[in-house]
Amino acid sequence: GFNNVADAQQMSYHLLQTYLAAADAALDEAFKRVLEPSEPFSIHLNAPDFAYFPNKNRGPWLWNDLAVSFSNSGNYQGRMEETSVPESGWYRIRVSARAIDPPEGRGVWTAIRSGFCYAKAPLLFWVGSFEATLKPEVFEYTAWILEGHKLEIRPSDYTLKRPGAGSLSEESFTDPTIPKVAMDWIEMERIYNGPNPKDLRKLLFGNLKIKDKQWASSKPEQDLFKLMDRFAVKAFRRPVSRNELQPYIDLALISLDEGLPFVEVVRSGYRALLCSPRFLYFNEPVGKLDEYSVASRLSYFLWGSLPDDKLLTLAKQKRLTNPRVLKQQVNRMLNDPRAISFVKNFSDQWLNLSDIDFTTPDSKLYPEFDLILQEAMLGETHAFLQEMIREDLSVTNVVDSDFTMLNERIAHHYGIKGVRGTEFRKVELQPKHRRGGIITHASVLKVTANGTTTSPVVRGVWMLERIMGEKTLPPPDDVPSIEPDIRAIA
């Protein structure tokens, strides 16, 4: 049932078009950084730069040189026009914040999201969350933000008092019973994942020289082969023969025959390689896996990405299938931060956590539910699986465990006291907590409910298939579905 097995890897016309668009986006970004580097973008905004009094546009209030935001049941309370970004890309965000009128013994949980922040485009994208306390702290995040999107920062703890959607008055703002978050300043900086421009230039064009802002070549076919051969080894995760590479070179040579600049010829060749089945799929020999196939399987299973130089070097030396070396590499990869990719991808599919947004709990039945709680739900399960892997714990912890991984937000939801802060940590459970094992995690309980009530049938099927490994058969054709009870309640 996992989506990375062969049966699930069907390629439709629409999906192929999407891959082409993704390849173009990646190449556009890389070539632009080398050929037309943009001006560095960074801004530092003090509170008076993005907060106002009297308030306007639902932004933060300016109060004693602080930008103060509070939550209410309306949308976009805390949006900041001045944080709009000039182009889509990765940004580093730093914010100095503190709490005002926090609840006793707790901080004020605050969410950071990005978007247009207007009803014409209501979708907001998650950036992160933090717990503001009376002591000023600096919080840092990295997020992909689309062109023209801005930040919205506001308290998002629905267990706290908050005014209604229309309560944007000074009285609500100054009400000491309403917890708020105050920001001293915000910094945003455009950053780039991957190599710096100098190294990227080397990767794309090797030792070719620039002439009139273009990469020129006196031997275009020979240089094209050298560049594409090096690129193909990375893309295909193994050495490539001339016969294997020739069809892609022939495609690129069409651009050369049409008189396009050499840089466009190279780009078309790279595009062909990125859209090749050899890049999109595992191209493995029949029978026992070779060294390079093992390297790819390891890297995509544990990291969700290409093999690194260490794995490819061991594959080239034919040492990777040595049991001792293989064990060393698995341990190295599991101890690498990139291993969180395995935890998230595996749990999303195994436990159906990818459906966490499928339903929204009824706000009247569950008024305490908010986005920060949902993120904490996922964080508990991910941290729990990481702990099982790190400590090599028994699989029985899936159904019965004397500990779980909590931060303050999810602990407050469970009614477990003594947990402070945003970091997830191991917490010993007592019988009165009625917790233990993944099957009692709030994330699992949410994806097996419908937003208003639990479903014994859905949870029963989930237990059979996800925990016990027993496939449930569909109902017989002559058994009708159960009609919902739509009678009015007196």
Side-chain angles (χ1 to χ4, degrees):
F2 288 85
N3 63 20
N4 59 345
V5 297
D7 289 343
Q9 298 296 300
Q10 300 178 10
M11 183 71 75
S12 66
Y13 171 79
H14 174 72
L15 186 57
L16 183 57
Q17 287 291 104
T18 305
Y19 275 127
L20 288 170
D24 284 335
L27 291 171
D28 287 346
E29 172 75 9
F31 276 65
K32 181 180 178 182
R33 287 190 62 199
V34 173
L35 299 173
E36 303 173 16
S38 58
E39 291 294 326
F41 172 84
S42 63
I43 56 175
H44 178 97
L45 300 171
N46 293 315
D49 298 327
F50 61 91
Y52 302 91
F53 186 90
N55 185 256
K56 68 176 184 179
N57 289 333
R58 300 189 184 183
W61 292 71
L62 184 62
W63 191 262
N64 294 332
D65 286 333
L66 295 173
V68 181
S69 176
F70 63 94
S71 181
N72 65 16
S73 56
N75 292 327
Y76 319 126
Q77 174 61 33
R79 67 187 177 199
M80 295 164 285
E81 301 289 341
E82 293 75 12
T83 61
S84 178
V85 299
E87 64 177 354
S88 299
W90 289 100
Y91 289 83
R92 180 180 294 112
I93 302 159
R94 301 177 73 240
V95 55
S96 174
R98 68 188 78 177
I100 294 180
D101 301 322
E104 184 177 356
R106 293 174 52 196
V108 179
W109 282 89
T110 303
I112 306 178
R113 297 186 292 176
S114 67
F116 280 115
C117 296
Y118 285 98
K120 66 177 182 180
L123 184 64
L124 291 174
F125 299 92
W126 184 261
V127 173
S129 65
F130 61 86
E131 184 185 24
T133 63
L134 292 172
K135 179 182 178 181
E137 293 184 69
V138 176
F139 305 94
E140 184 173 310
Y141 306 90
T142 300
W144 178 272
I145 303 180
L146 297 175
E147 179 182 354
H149 283 199
K150 57 187 69 70
L151 297 182
E152 178 212 69
I153 302 180
R154 65 167 172 171
S156 187
D157 186 348
Y158 289 3
T159 64
L160 304 177
K161 180 181 177 180
R162 57 191 183 127
S167 302
L168 298 176
S169 64
E170 182 179 346
E171 288 76 17
S172 297
F173 162 64
T174 57
D175 186 344
T177 66
I178 298 176
K180 296 168 276 288
V181 63
M183 292 164 278
D184 297 282
W185 50 262
I186 293 175
E187 289 181 347
M188 297 181 69
E189 178 187 6
R190 176 77 159 92
I191 61 174
Y192 299 91
N193 290 333
N196 59 49
K198 181 179 179 181
D199 292 338
L200 184 58
R201 185 185 304 118
K202 184 77 172 178
L203 287 171
L204 292 177
F205 298 109
N207 296 319
L208 293 182
K209 304 299 183 182
I210 300 176
K211 183 179 180 181
D212 297 329
K213 296 185 178 181
Q214 290 286 349
W215 265 258
S217 171
S218 58
K219 302 176 180 179
E221 293 190 26
Q222 182 177 338
D223 288 335
L224 180 64
F225 171 77
K226 290 180 180 179
L227 294 176
M228 289 186 62
D229 179 62
R230 186 175 58 176
F231 194 94
V233 171
K234 283 284 189 182
F236 297 170
R237 286 96 55 190
R238 62 175 60 242
V240 182
S241 68
R242 180 63 186 250
N243 289 337
E244 292 173 323
L245 189 60
Q246 193 61 49
Y248 306 99
I249 294 178
D250 292 340
L251 281 173
L253 289 177
I254 294 176
S255 300
L256 185 64
D257 294 338
E258 293 175 348
L260 293 177
F262 187 67
V263 65
E264 292 298 326
V265 176
V266 174
R267 188 186 186 286
S268 65
Y270 289 168
R271 186 177 190 258
L273 293 172
L274 291 179
C275 296
S276 167
R278 292 176 179 269
F279 172 70
L280 300 175
Y281 292 106
F282 289 156
N283 185 37
E284 298 172 341
V286 177
K288 183 179 178 180
L289 294 178
D290 62 18
E291 303 277 341
Y292 290 101
S293 296
V294 172
S296 291
R297 288 205 177 193
L298 272 181
S299 65
Y300 279 95
F301 182 56
L302 298 179
W303 286 348
S305 187
L306 300 166
D308 63 359
D309 291 339
K310 180 67 174 178
L311 286 174
L312 291 178
T313 299
L314 289 172
K316 183 178 181 179
Q317 297 171 349
K318 299 186 180 302
R319 296 174 54 204
L320 193 55
T321 52
N322 180 294
R324 182 180 61 83
V325 174
L326 184 61
K327 183 176 181 179
Q328 288 175 346
Q329 291 307 302
V330 170
N331 288 331
R332 176 180 73 89
M333 297 173 73
L334 287 175
N335 289 323
D336 190 284
R338 286 173 285 185
I340 188 62
S341 172
F342 163 74
V343 172
K344 291 182 177 180
N345 291 334
F346 182 73
S347 60
D348 279 356
Q349 297 183 63
W350 170 39
L351 303 174
N352 280 12
L353 297 189
S354 56
D355 292 337
I356 194 75
D357 289 316
F358 188 71
T359 61
T360 300
D362 189 305
S363 60
K364 293 182 179 179
L365 295 174
Y366 308 102
E368 74 280 6
F369 179 80
D370 54 57
L371 284 176
I372 293 179
L373 176 59
Q374 178 171 295
E375 290 298 313
M377 291 175 177
L378 294 172
E380 176 192 16
T381 305
H382 293 156
F384 187 87
L385 289 173
Q386 279 187 297
E387 182 70 9
M388 287 186 62
I389 294 170
R390 182 167 49 246
E391 299 297 330
D392 195 20
L393 300 179
S394 168
V395 72
T396 57
N397 284 276
V398 170
V399 294
D400 185 19
S401 177
D402 59 0
F403 77 95
T404 190
M405 308 294 289
L406 303 177
N407 69 359
E408 184 175 351
R409 184 67 185 91
I410 191 70
H412 180 74
H413 178 66
Y414 290 158
I416 298 176
K417 301 184 183 301
V419 179
R420 296 297 306 274
T422 59
E423 298 297 323
F424 287 88
R425 80 293 310 266
K426 190 173 183 178
V427 176
E428 299 295 330
L429 295 172
Q430 302 175 18
K432 67 178 181 180
H433 294 144
R434 300 179 65 82
R435 299 279 166 186
I438 287 176
I439 59 178
T440 65
H441 284 189
S443 59
V444 169
L445 299 179
K446 184 178 185 303
V447 298
T448 55
N450 61 17
T452 56
T453 59
T454 59
S455 173
V457 174
V458 172
R459 286 191 177 164
V461 170
W462 187 93
M463 281 291 298
L464 283 173
E465 295 186 348
R466 305 297 171 174
I467 303 301
M468 302 178 71
E470 295 184 10
K471 185 68 176 178
T472 54
L473 299 176
D477 294 336
D478 58 347
V479 176
S481 60
I482 300 175
E483 296 295 332
D485 186 354
I486 58 174
R487 294 173 297 175
I489 300 176

